[in-house]
Amino acid sequence: MRHPTRSPSAKSSQHGSHAADSHDARPLTVLQCGCAMPDASSAERKAVAVDPEAKARNVKRLRRIEGQVRGLQKMVEEDRYCADILTQISSVHEALRSVGRELMRNHLRHCASAAIRSGPEDAEPMYDELVDLMYKHSR
């Protein structure tokens, strides 16, 4: 999938205008990076933009989930009651879904919007990607 190349200043002005439209009175500071284009230092794709507060929330949630999973491992090792373990597994699933919702919101707000606005060449593959993501998340 190819996404348009924009200079960092063009991205800043594009996403900065969305901050003023936000329901929150505070301006939204958005971290910029190349949209689904390989990073110069690696072959990894990067998001168009990431809300730093959302990123911090996700990192915090994932660290909590990491601790929950370690707790699950310990519960299994200690032969804890199966229903208690299953309850904790359900809690981890919900925590992961919460991170997934936040990431999907960011993807729609920044990556998908940029691809769709750029024209049919980038929009069509993005539509396919979004449909695939919806099916994966609905399981």
Side-chain angles (χ1 to χ4, degrees), residues 7-8 27 30 32 44 66 70 77 83 106 108 111 115 117 124:
S7 69
V30 179
Q32 302 299 326
E44 294 179 3
E66 182 181 23
R70 275 196 232 101
E77 288 169 350
N106 188 80
L108 290 170
C111 304
R117 278 193 304 264
E124 289 303 319

Side-chain angles (χ1 to χ4, degrees), residues 60-77:
K60 184 176 179 179
R61 284 183 187 133
L62 289 167
R63 287 187 179 133
R64 190 177 311 126
I65 292 165
E66 182 181 23
Q68 287 176 298
V69 171
R70 275 196 232 101
L72 280 167
Q73 181 181 359
K74 186 175 179 183
M75 290 175 80
V76 170
E77 288 169 350

Side-chain angles (χ1 to χ4, degrees), residues 20 28 40 55 69 79 85 107 124:
L28 176 65
K55 181 178 180 177
V69 171
D79 297 324
I85 297 170
H107 189 58
E124 289 303 319

